[in-house]
Amino acid sequence: MKIAVFHNFMDNIGGAEMVTLTLARGLDADVYTTNLDEEKIRKMGFGDVIPRIISLGKVPKNAPFRHQLSFWKFRRLNLGKKYDFYIIAGDWAMSGAVHNKPNLWYAHSPLNEIWQFKDYIRSEILSWWKRPFFDTWVWWNRKLTLRYAKHIGEWICNSENTKARIKKYYHHDARVINPPVDLSQSEYKPHRNYCLSVNRLSPPKRIDLQMKAFSNMPGEKLIIVGSFEKGARQPEAQKKYIESIKPQNVKILHWVDQGALRKLYSECKCFITTALDEDFGMTPVEAMGFGKPVIAPNEGGYKETIVNGKTGILIDDINTDKIVEAVKEISKNPEKYKNASMERAREFDVEIFIRKIISLMKN
């Protein structure tokens, strides 16, 4: 089958983008996107996919213009019979379903900006004078999204958490196929004295919880791998805030290549994530693949991957004090989580994922 994968932008490589690149490689598919950073894609180990990535043209860096123009470009995209099947793997590319069929939507976060996180963005991020404009933007895009959703052939999503959102907002049942994690080069190494966090530095990731927790643990060290998300609202304000609360025992690496990232995973004592109601969360699974325990909130997709007490610690109503307690608990014996973590991670292997997607397209 000749397959095309749609993804709204490929200039900031996170979990969703890694899924798109994995699909492209595993299915020998072409990728249609807008903004593109070939250097980052190459550094993440997907240089072989770059010749098959087609840009529909650049979109602005800032939200909401970035999302809106991408939404518009995919709505106009009509590839006709050029491909046998279309996979929508970027949520703001779902408008591409209108003209490109047969298709499936692999939903990571079904346009959370206008649904699940709408109230959070409105109250916690936007200035008061921006809120009426945001409300209008949300109202209009909800109408468009529900209209375009009628053209989705198969509804697939990354977790039970996302499945519930699709049912709530789109009134559709979706099938869960967890995202893939490449474990082929995962290697356990004895830990060094640092904890690791890998995530975009956007407000819903709640990086401030990590900062404040480690300010109360001067004997511990935290390395954060992440960049400020392109197109994020108020990125400068968020950047200044993060820098103002960063203690000396926290180091931020804004970009590392795949080799350096694997080394950080393999040698960390534990992995920490604090994202708000995460859709799925690939980085904790990656950490478990290296035999490392994970500290995470007991919410969202984390409840579907982390086995509390065996592959890490899930925290109810997470706060800084509870993160401190969890780090102290894991520090007693990080190695005891090794075997269970690696075994759990194998359930999310790339081959399993690709096999399930192929089976769906054939049916």
Side-chain angles (χ1 to χ4, degrees):
M1 298 179 72
K2 193 173 183 182
I3 301 162
V5 182
F6 295 170
H7 197 98
N8 23 266
F9 4 83
M10 297 289 291
D11 56 353
N12 200 19
I13 310 302
E17 290 74 25
M18 293 293 284
V19 171
T20 291
L21 294 167
T22 300
L23 283 167
R25 175 181 286 166
L27 301 173
D28 196 26
D30 293 339
V31 176
Y32 285 80
T33 189
T34 57
N35 293 1
L36 177 64
D37 191 322
E38 293 187 3
E39 182 181 3
K40 286 184 179 179
I41 293 171
R42 191 174 291 108
K43 286 184 176 180
M44 294 307 289
F46 286 91
D48 57 305
V49 177
I50 292 173
R52 300 199 303 277
I53 302 178
I54 299 101
S55 173
L56 302 177
K58 289 186 176 181
V59 296
K61 292 182 178 181
N62 296 320
F65 310 105
R66 171 181 175 87
H67 300 84
Q68 202 65 54
L69 189 54
S70 176
F71 203 41
W72 178 80
K73 283 179 177 290
F74 279 98
R75 171 64 178 84
R76 290 174 56 86
L77 183 62
N78 187 347
L79 298 173
K81 300 295 182 180
K82 184 175 181 179
Y83 296 92
D84 300 308
F85 203 92
Y86 298 91
I87 298 175
I88 300 163
D91 296 327
W92 285 91
M94 62 84 67
S95 56
V98 174
H99 292 305
N100 303 283
K101 301 171 183 177
N103 63 57
L104 67 81
W105 183 12
Y106 187 84
H108 298 280
S109 54
L111 286 85
N112 280 341
E113 293 91 341
I114 64 172
W115 298 106
Q116 185 71 12
F117 294 155
K118 182 253 184 183
D119 292 338
Y120 175 83
I121 292 170
R122 192 181 192 280
S123 62
E124 301 296 328
I125 300 178
L126 296 180
S127 303
W128 65 268
W129 63 271
K130 293 182 179 179
R131 291 170 187 169
F133 300 100
F134 178 67
D135 291 341
T136 302
W137 180 76
V138 167
W139 172 82
W140 176 245
N141 279 292
R142 284 184 175 184
K143 287 188 64 175
L144 290 178
T145 303
L146 292 173
R147 185 187 306 166
Y148 299 158
K150 296 176 182 178
H151 297 272
I152 300 294
E154 294 283 345
W155 291 74
I156 314 299
C157 61
N158 60 358
S159 67
E160 293 291 339
N161 188 35
T162 303
K163 178 179 179 177
R165 293 178 187 173
I166 290 172
K167 186 67 174 178
K168 178 180 180 180
Y169 300 122
Y170 297 91
H171 312 296
H172 273 276
D173 292 316
R175 176 175 173 177
V176 176
I177 298 179
N178 295 132
V181 176
D182 185 2
L183 304 173
S184 61
Q185 299 188 59
S186 299
E187 179 185 4
Y188 176 85
K189 292 182 180 179
H191 73 84
R192 298 173 62 187
N193 189 32
Y194 68 88
C195 303
L196 179 66
S197 174
V198 180
N199 32 233
R200 292 184 175 118
L201 303 181
S202 56
K205 302 300 183 181
R206 299 188 290 198
I207 305 301
D208 55 332
L209 288 178
Q210 300 175 29
M211 299 282 193
K212 292 172 183 177
F214 276 81
S215 69
N216 295 329
M217 295 186 287
E220 298 285 351
K221 181 180 178 182
L222 174 66
I223 297 177
I224 299 176
V225 178
S227 58
F228 292 95
E229 185 173 3
K230 291 183 178 180
R233 296 166 180 84
Q234 297 182 321
E236 286 303 317
Q238 172 71 0
K239 184 177 180 180
K240 289 179 181 178
Y241 172 61
I242 291 295
E243 290 174 346
S244 71
I245 63 172
K246 187 181 81 66
Q248 290 185 345
N249 58 334
V250 174
K251 182 178 182 181
I252 298 178
L253 304 175
H254 291 293
W255 179 257
V256 297
D257 62 26
Q258 193 70 350
L261 184 58
R262 284 196 296 267
K263 180 176 174 62
L264 288 169
Y265 271 124
S266 66
E267 296 181 349
C268 71
K269 177 165 61 177
C270 69
F271 185 86
I272 298 177
T273 182
T274 49
L276 173 68
D277 197 17
E278 185 68 275
D279 307 295
F280 175 75
M282 292 178 65
T283 54
V285 181
E286 291 176 348
M288 289 190 290
F290 287 85
K292 305 301 178 174
V294 177
I295 296 171
N298 190 20
E299 59 186 66
Y302 299 140
K303 297 191 292 184
E304 302 174 43
T305 57
I306 301 159
V307 183
N308 192 33
K310 293 186 176 181
T311 70
I313 297 176
L314 289 171
I315 301 175
D316 295 322
D317 303 316
I318 193 167
N319 60 35
T320 55
D321 291 338
K322 292 179 180 180
I323 294 173
V324 171
E325 292 173 9
V327 171
K328 289 180 178 178
E329 177 61 29
I330 282 179
S331 296
K332 294 176 184 177
N333 185 12
E335 288 78 12
K336 81 172 187 178
Y337 302 91
K338 172 187 173 183
N339 293 335
S341 295
M342 296 182 78
E343 183 178 347
R344 179 66 171 144
R346 281 194 285 270
E347 298 178 29
F348 304 92
D349 188 68
V350 170
E351 290 187 10
I352 296 173
F353 173 77
I354 294 296
R355 188 164 62 244
K356 288 180 178 179
I357 295 293
I358 290 174
S359 177
L360 265 177
M361 291 190 298
K362 287 183 176 178
N363 294 330

PDB file of all heavy atoms in Angstrom, residues 334-360:
ATOM      1  N   PRO A 334      17.226   2.155  43.850  1.00  0.00           N
ATOM      2  CA  PRO A 334      16.708   2.329  42.490  1.00  0.00           C
ATOM      3  C   PRO A 334      16.733   1.045  41.664  1.00  0.00           C
ATOM      4  O   PRO A 334      15.898   0.845  40.772  1.00  0.00           O
ATOM      5  CB  PRO A 334      17.644   3.389  41.887  1.00  0.00           C
ATOM      6  CG  PRO A 334      18.264   4.070  43.054  1.00  0.00           C
ATOM      7  CD  PRO A 334      18.382   3.033  44.122  1.00  0.00           C
ATOM      8  N   GLU A 335      17.686   0.163  41.957  1.00  0.00           N
ATOM      9  CA  GLU A 335      17.865  -1.045  41.152  1.00  0.00           C
ATOM     10  C   GLU A 335      16.707  -2.029  41.288  1.00  0.00           C
ATOM     11  O   GLU A 335      16.483  -2.858  40.397  1.00  0.00           O
ATOM     12  CB  GLU A 335      19.170  -1.753  41.536  1.00  0.00           C
ATOM     13  CG  GLU A 335      20.441  -1.050  41.090  1.00  0.00           C
ATOM     14  CD  GLU A 335      20.800   0.141  41.981  1.00  0.00           C
ATOM     15  OE1 GLU A 335      20.193   0.283  43.078  1.00  0.00           O
ATOM     16  OE2 GLU A 335      21.666   0.936  41.589  1.00  0.00           O
ATOM     17  N   LYS A 336      15.959  -1.953  42.364  1.00  0.00           N
ATOM     18  CA  LYS A 336      14.901  -2.941  42.577  1.00  0.00           C
ATOM     19  C   LYS A 336      13.770  -2.829  41.548  1.00  0.00           C
ATOM     20  O   LYS A 336      12.981  -3.749  41.380  1.00  0.00           O
ATOM     21  CB  LYS A 336      14.339  -2.842  43.996  1.00  0.00           C
ATOM     22  CG  LYS A 336      13.317  -1.755  44.225  1.00  0.00           C
ATOM     23  CD  LYS A 336      12.694  -1.886  45.605  1.00  0.00           C
ATOM     24  CE  LYS A 336      11.527  -0.904  45.787  1.00  0.00           C
ATOM     25  NZ  LYS A 336      10.876  -1.056  47.099  1.00  0.00           N
ATOM     26  N   TYR A 337      13.707  -1.690  40.857  1.00  0.00           N
ATOM     27  CA  TYR A 337      12.665  -1.469  39.854  1.00  0.00           C
ATOM     28  C   TYR A 337      13.086  -1.926  38.457  1.00  0.00           C
ATOM     29  O   TYR A 337      12.283  -1.899  37.526  1.00  0.00           O
ATOM     30  CB  TYR A 337      12.298   0.007  39.795  1.00  0.00           C
ATOM     31  CG  TYR A 337      11.820   0.591  41.101  1.00  0.00           C
ATOM     32  CD1 TYR A 337      12.718   1.171  41.998  1.00  0.00           C
ATOM     33  CD2 TYR A 337      10.473   0.591  41.439  1.00  0.00           C
ATOM     34  CE1 TYR A 337      12.283   1.722  43.196  1.00  0.00           C
ATOM     35  CE2 TYR A 337      10.023   1.132  42.634  1.00  0.00           C
ATOM     36  CZ  TYR A 337      10.937   1.702  43.513  1.00  0.00           C
ATOM     37  OH  TYR A 337      10.501   2.242  44.700  1.00  0.00           O
ATOM     38  N   LYS A 338      14.343  -2.319  38.299  1.00  0.00           N
ATOM     39  CA  LYS A 338      14.929  -2.551  36.975  1.00  0.00           C
ATOM     40  C   LYS A 338      14.154  -3.568  36.145  1.00  0.00           C
ATOM     41  O   LYS A 338      13.679  -3.262  35.045  1.00  0.00           O
ATOM     42  CB  LYS A 338      16.387  -3.005  37.129  1.00  0.00           C
ATOM     43  CG  LYS A 338      17.029  -3.461  35.827  1.00  0.00           C
ATOM     44  CD  LYS A 338      18.413  -4.068  36.075  1.00  0.00           C
ATOM     45  CE  LYS A 338      18.969  -4.684  34.806  1.00  0.00           C
ATOM     46  NZ  LYS A 338      20.275  -5.351  35.042  1.00  0.00           N
ATOM     47  N   ASN A 339      14.028  -4.797  36.614  1.00  0.00           N
ATOM     48  CA  ASN A 339      13.452  -5.872  35.804  1.00  0.00           C
ATOM     49  C   ASN A 339      11.994  -5.612  35.456  1.00  0.00           C
ATOM     50  O   ASN A 339      11.569  -5.801  34.301  1.00  0.00           O
ATOM     51  CB  ASN A 339      13.600  -7.210  36.522  1.00  0.00           C
ATOM     52  CG  ASN A 339      15.051  -7.648  36.629  1.00  0.00           C
ATOM     53  OD1 ASN A 339      15.892  -7.250  35.822  1.00  0.00           O
ATOM     54  ND2 ASN A 339      15.361  -8.460  37.621  1.00  0.00           N
ATOM     55  N   ALA A 340      11.209  -5.193  36.437  1.00  0.00           N
ATOM     56  CA  ALA A 340       9.790  -4.929  36.181  1.00  0.00           C
ATOM     57  C   ALA A 340       9.614  -3.787  35.187  1.00  0.00           C
ATOM     58  O   ALA A 340       8.722  -3.835  34.320  1.00  0.00           O
ATOM     59  CB  ALA A 340       9.084  -4.595  37.493  1.00  0.00           C
ATOM     60  N   SER A 341      10.466  -2.773  35.275  1.00  0.00           N
ATOM     61  CA  SER A 341      10.373  -1.632  34.361  1.00  0.00           C
ATOM     62  C   SER A 341      10.678  -2.045  32.929  1.00  0.00           C
ATOM     63  O   SER A 341       9.946  -1.688  31.991  1.00  0.00           O
ATOM     64  CB  SER A 341      11.340  -0.525  34.804  1.00  0.00           C
ATOM     65  OG  SER A 341      10.961   0.003  36.046  1.00  0.00           O
ATOM     66  N   MET A 342      11.737  -2.801  32.732  1.00  0.00           N
ATOM     67  CA  MET A 342      12.118  -3.211  31.383  1.00  0.00           C
ATOM     68  C   MET A 342      11.078  -4.154  30.782  1.00  0.00           C
ATOM     69  O   MET A 342      10.758  -4.068  29.594  1.00  0.00           O
ATOM     70  CB  MET A 342      13.501  -3.867  31.417  1.00  0.00           C
ATOM     71  CG  MET A 342      14.605  -2.918  31.857  1.00  0.00           C
ATOM     72  SD  MET A 342      16.263  -3.631  31.855  1.00  0.00           S
ATOM     73  CE  MET A 342      16.636  -3.558  30.104  1.00  0.00           C
ATOM     74  N   GLU A 343      10.534  -5.037  31.604  1.00  0.00           N
ATOM     75  CA  GLU A 343       9.501  -5.950  31.121  1.00  0.00           C
ATOM     76  C   GLU A 343       8.247  -5.190  30.709  1.00  0.00           C
ATOM     77  O   GLU A 343       7.631  -5.474  29.688  1.00  0.00           O
ATOM     78  CB  GLU A 343       9.166  -6.966  32.217  1.00  0.00           C
ATOM     79  CG  GLU A 343       8.154  -8.012  31.789  1.00  0.00           C
ATOM     80  CD  GLU A 343       7.888  -9.036  32.881  1.00  0.00           C
ATOM     81  OE1 GLU A 343       8.647  -9.084  33.868  1.00  0.00           O
ATOM     82  OE2 GLU A 343       6.912  -9.807  32.732  1.00  0.00           O
ATOM     83  N   ARG A 344       7.868  -4.202  31.500  1.00  0.00           N
ATOM     84  CA  ARG A 344       6.691  -3.401  31.174  1.00  0.00           C
ATOM     85  C   ARG A 344       6.896  -2.628  29.883  1.00  0.00           C
ATOM     86  O   ARG A 344       5.999  -2.550  29.028  1.00  0.00           O
ATOM     87  CB  ARG A 344       6.412  -2.425  32.326  1.00  0.00           C
ATOM     88  CG  ARG A 344       5.219  -1.503  32.089  1.00  0.00           C
ATOM     89  CD  ARG A 344       3.941  -2.266  32.044  1.00  0.00           C
ATOM     90  NE  ARG A 344       2.783  -1.361  32.032  1.00  0.00           N
ATOM     91  CZ  ARG A 344       1.676  -1.603  31.353  1.00  0.00           C
ATOM     92  NH1 ARG A 344       1.540  -2.731  30.656  1.00  0.00           N
ATOM     93  NH2 ARG A 344       0.672  -0.756  31.384  1.00  0.00           N
ATOM     94  N   ALA A 345       8.060  -2.053  29.680  1.00  0.00           N
ATOM     95  CA  ALA A 345       8.332  -1.250  28.486  1.00  0.00           C
ATOM     96  C   ALA A 345       8.245  -2.068  27.209  1.00  0.00           C
ATOM     97  O   ALA A 345       7.835  -1.561  26.159  1.00  0.00           O
ATOM     98  CB  ALA A 345       9.707  -0.599  28.604  1.00  0.00           C
ATOM     99  N   ARG A 346       8.594  -3.358  27.293  1.00  0.00           N
ATOM    100  CA  ARG A 346       8.568  -4.209  26.093  1.00  0.00           C
ATOM    101  C   ARG A 346       7.162  -4.354  25.516  1.00  0.00           C
ATOM    102  O   ARG A 346       7.005  -4.706  24.341  1.00  0.00           O
ATOM    103  CB  ARG A 346       9.167  -5.577  26.411  1.00  0.00           C
ATOM    104  CG  ARG A 346      10.692  -5.591  26.426  1.00  0.00           C
ATOM    105  CD  ARG A 346      11.250  -6.996  26.411  1.00  0.00           C
ATOM    106  NE  ARG A 346      11.105  -7.648  27.702  1.00  0.00           N
ATOM    107  CZ  ARG A 346      12.012  -7.599  28.677  1.00  0.00           C
ATOM    108  NH1 ARG A 346      13.134  -6.923  28.502  1.00  0.00           N
ATOM    109  NH2 ARG A 346      11.806  -8.215  29.829  1.00  0.00           N
ATOM    110  N   GLU A 347       6.152  -4.093  26.308  1.00  0.00           N
ATOM    111  CA  GLU A 347       4.779  -4.185  25.826  1.00  0.00           C
ATOM    112  C   GLU A 347       4.441  -3.075  24.830  1.00  0.00           C
ATOM    113  O   GLU A 347       3.399  -3.128  24.173  1.00  0.00           O
ATOM    114  CB  GLU A 347       3.809  -4.142  27.004  1.00  0.00           C
ATOM    115  CG  GLU A 347       3.966  -5.298  27.980  1.00  0.00           C
ATOM    116  CD  GLU A 347       3.022  -5.199  29.165  1.00  0.00           C
ATOM    117  OE1 GLU A 347       1.925  -4.618  28.993  1.00  0.00           O
ATOM    118  OE2 GLU A 347       3.392  -5.690  30.248  1.00  0.00           O
ATOM    119  N   PHE A 348       5.314  -2.070  24.716  1.00  0.00           N
ATOM    120  CA  PHE A 348       5.061  -0.923  23.844  1.00  0.00           C
ATOM    121  C   PHE A 348       6.063  -0.865  22.682  1.00  0.00           C
ATOM    122  O   PHE A 348       6.326   0.195  22.123  1.00  0.00           O
ATOM    123  CB  PHE A 348       5.133   0.371  24.656  1.00  0.00           C
ATOM    124  CG  PHE A 348       4.188   0.401  25.828  1.00  0.00           C
ATOM    125  CD1 PHE A 348       4.605  -0.039  27.082  1.00  0.00           C
ATOM    126  CD2 PHE A 348       2.884   0.829  25.668  1.00  0.00           C
ATOM    127  CE1 PHE A 348       3.740  -0.028  28.162  1.00  0.00           C
ATOM    128  CE2 PHE A 348       2.008   0.848  26.746  1.00  0.00           C
ATOM    129  CZ  PHE A 348       2.430   0.413  28.001  1.00  0.00           C
ATOM    130  N   ASP A 349       6.583  -2.011  22.299  1.00  0.00           N
ATOM    131  CA  ASP A 349       7.617  -2.078  21.262  1.00  0.00           C
ATOM    132  C   ASP A 349       7.093  -1.621  19.902  1.00  0.00           C
ATOM    133  O   ASP A 349       5.900  -1.776  19.586  1.00  0.00           O
ATOM    134  CB  ASP A 349       8.148  -3.514  21.164  1.00  0.00           C
ATOM    135  CG  ASP A 349       9.353  -3.617  20.262  1.00  0.00           C
ATOM    136  OD1 ASP A 349      10.410  -3.093  20.628  1.00  0.00           O
ATOM    137  OD2 ASP A 349       9.224  -4.215  19.172  1.00  0.00           O
ATOM    138  N   VAL A 350       7.981  -1.076  19.080  1.00  0.00           N
ATOM    139  CA  VAL A 350       7.626  -0.552  17.761  1.00  0.00           C
ATOM    140  C   VAL A 350       6.974  -1.614  16.882  1.00  0.00           C
ATOM    141  O   VAL A 350       5.970  -1.352  16.192  1.00  0.00           O
ATOM    142  CB  VAL A 350       8.881   0.019  17.058  1.00  0.00           C
ATOM    143  CG1 VAL A 350       8.577   0.334  15.595  1.00  0.00           C
ATOM    144  CG2 VAL A 350       9.374   1.262  17.775  1.00  0.00           C
ATOM    145  N   GLU A 351       7.505  -2.814  16.878  1.00  0.00           N
ATOM    146  CA  GLU A 351       6.972  -3.870  15.999  1.00  0.00           C
ATOM    147  C   GLU A 351       5.516  -4.184  16.315  1.00  0.00           C
ATOM    148  O   GLU A 351       4.708  -4.429  15.415  1.00  0.00           O
ATOM    149  CB  GLU A 351       7.828  -5.134  16.114  1.00  0.00           C
ATOM    150  CG  GLU A 351       9.210  -4.999  15.490  1.00  0.00           C
ATOM    151  CD  GLU A 351       9.960  -6.316  15.475  1.00  0.00           C
ATOM    152  OE1 GLU A 351       9.345  -7.354  15.766  1.00  0.00           O
ATOM    153  OE2 GLU A 351      11.173  -6.298  15.169  1.00  0.00           O
ATOM    154  N   ILE A 352       5.173  -4.181  17.586  1.00  0.00           N
ATOM    155  CA  ILE A 352       3.784  -4.431  17.993  1.00  0.00           C
ATOM    156  C   ILE A 352       2.878  -3.335  17.447  1.00  0.00           C
ATOM    157  O   ILE A 352       1.797  -3.592  16.907  1.00  0.00           O
ATOM    158  CB  ILE A 352       3.679  -4.506  19.528  1.00  0.00           C
ATOM    159  CG1 ILE A 352       4.477  -5.701  20.053  1.00  0.00           C
ATOM    160  CG2 ILE A 352       2.222  -4.579  19.970  1.00  0.00           C
ATOM    161  CD1 ILE A 352       4.567  -5.765  21.567  1.00  0.00           C
ATOM    162  N   PHE A 353       3.317  -2.091  17.567  1.00  0.00           N
ATOM    163  CA  PHE A 353       2.544  -0.938  17.094  1.00  0.00           C
ATOM    164  C   PHE A 353       2.312  -0.998  15.581  1.00  0.00           C
ATOM    165  O   PHE A 353       1.169  -0.866  15.106  1.00  0.00           O
ATOM    166  CB  PHE A 353       3.289   0.338  17.467  1.00  0.00           C
ATOM    167  CG  PHE A 353       2.689   1.598  16.908  1.00  0.00           C
ATOM    168  CD1 PHE A 353       1.556   2.155  17.478  1.00  0.00           C
ATOM    169  CD2 PHE A 353       3.278   2.242  15.820  1.00  0.00           C
ATOM    170  CE1 PHE A 353       1.007   3.324  16.969  1.00  0.00           C
ATOM    171  CE2 PHE A 353       2.737   3.407  15.311  1.00  0.00           C
ATOM    172  CZ  PHE A 353       1.597   3.952  15.885  1.00  0.00           C
ATOM    173  N   ILE A 354       3.377  -1.186  14.825  1.00  0.00           N
ATOM    174  CA  ILE A 354       3.266  -1.209  13.365  1.00  0.00           C
ATOM    175  C   ILE A 354       2.369  -2.359  12.911  1.00  0.00           C
ATOM    176  O   ILE A 354       1.540  -2.215  11.993  1.00  0.00           O
ATOM    177  CB  ILE A 354       4.657  -1.314  12.703  1.00  0.00           C
ATOM    178  CG1 ILE A 354       5.477  -0.041  12.979  1.00  0.00           C
ATOM    179  CG2 ILE A 354       4.522  -1.553  11.199  1.00  0.00           C
ATOM    180  CD1 ILE A 354       4.900   1.223  12.378  1.00  0.00           C
ATOM    181  N   ARG A 355       2.499  -3.490  13.549  1.00  0.00           N
ATOM    182  CA  ARG A 355       1.671  -4.654  13.192  1.00  0.00           C
ATOM    183  C   ARG A 355       0.184  -4.350  13.391  1.00  0.00           C
ATOM    184  O   ARG A 355      -0.658  -4.719  12.556  1.00  0.00           O
ATOM    185  CB  ARG A 355       2.100  -5.855  14.022  1.00  0.00           C
ATOM    186  CG  ARG A 355       1.440  -7.162  13.603  1.00  0.00           C
ATOM    187  CD  ARG A 355       2.160  -8.370  14.163  1.00  0.00           C
ATOM    188  NE  ARG A 355       2.158  -8.396  15.616  1.00  0.00           N
ATOM    189  CZ  ARG A 355       3.253  -8.309  16.372  1.00  0.00           C
ATOM    190  NH1 ARG A 355       4.439  -8.180  15.803  1.00  0.00           N
ATOM    191  NH2 ARG A 355       3.172  -8.363  17.684  1.00  0.00           N
ATOM    192  N   LYS A 356      -0.164  -3.672  14.471  1.00  0.00           N
ATOM    193  CA  LYS A 356      -1.562  -3.336  14.731  1.00  0.00           C
ATOM    194  C   LYS A 356      -2.096  -2.330  13.718  1.00  0.00           C
ATOM    195  O   LYS A 356      -3.240  -2.439  13.257  1.00  0.00           O
ATOM    196  CB  LYS A 356      -1.693  -2.779  16.155  1.00  0.00           C
ATOM    197  CG  LYS A 356      -1.523  -3.821  17.243  1.00  0.00           C
ATOM    198  CD  LYS A 356      -1.653  -3.198  18.633  1.00  0.00           C
ATOM    199  CE  LYS A 356      -1.529  -4.240  19.730  1.00  0.00           C
ATOM    200  NZ  LYS A 356      -1.631  -3.640  21.084  1.00  0.00           N
ATOM    201  N   ILE A 357      -1.281  -1.354  13.337  1.00  0.00           N
ATOM    202  CA  ILE A 357      -1.702  -0.356  12.350  1.00  0.00           C
ATOM    203  C   ILE A 357      -1.916  -1.006  10.989  1.00  0.00           C
ATOM    204  O   ILE A 357      -2.919  -0.732  10.301  1.00  0.00           O
ATOM    205  CB  ILE A 357      -0.670   0.792  12.246  1.00  0.00           C
ATOM    206  CG1 ILE A 357      -0.599   1.584  13.557  1.00  0.00           C
ATOM    207  CG2 ILE A 357      -0.998   1.706  11.078  1.00  0.00           C
ATOM    208  CD1 ILE A 357      -1.852   2.359  13.896  1.00  0.00           C
ATOM    209  N   ILE A 358      -1.019  -1.871  10.581  1.00  0.00           N
ATOM    210  CA  ILE A 358      -1.153  -2.569   9.289  1.00  0.00           C
ATOM    211  C   ILE A 358      -2.426  -3.401   9.277  1.00  0.00           C
ATOM    212  O   ILE A 358      -3.177  -3.423   8.280  1.00  0.00           O
ATOM    213  CB  ILE A 358       0.069  -3.444   9.012  1.00  0.00           C
ATOM    214  CG1 ILE A 358       1.298  -2.573   8.725  1.00  0.00           C
ATOM    215  CG2 ILE A 358      -0.190  -4.394   7.847  1.00  0.00           C
ATOM    216  CD1 ILE A 358       2.592  -3.332   8.582  1.00  0.00           C
ATOM    217  N   SER A 359      -2.706  -4.086  10.371  1.00  0.00           N
ATOM    218  CA  SER A 359      -3.908  -4.907  10.466  1.00  0.00           C
ATOM    219  C   SER A 359      -5.163  -4.056  10.289  1.00  0.00           C
ATOM    220  O   SER A 359      -6.116  -4.460   9.607  1.00  0.00           O
ATOM    221  CB  SER A 359      -3.951  -5.615  11.811  1.00  0.00           C
ATOM    222  OG  SER A 359      -5.138  -6.364  11.965  1.00  0.00           O
ATOM    223  N   LEU A 360      -5.178  -2.860  10.862  1.00  0.00           N
ATOM    224  CA  LEU A 360      -6.318  -1.976  10.724  1.00  0.00           C
ATOM    225  C   LEU A 360      -6.524  -1.536   9.280  1.00  0.00           C
ATOM    226  O   LEU A 360      -7.654  -1.526   8.756  1.00  0.00           O
ATOM    227  CB  LEU A 360      -6.110  -0.731  11.589  1.00  0.00           C
ATOM    228  CG  LEU A 360      -6.706  -0.718  12.991  1.00  0.00           C
ATOM    229  CD1 LEU A 360      -6.320   0.563  13.705  1.00  0.00           C
ATOM    230  CD2 LEU A 360      -8.209  -0.853  12.942  1.00  0.00           C
TER     231      LEU A 360
END
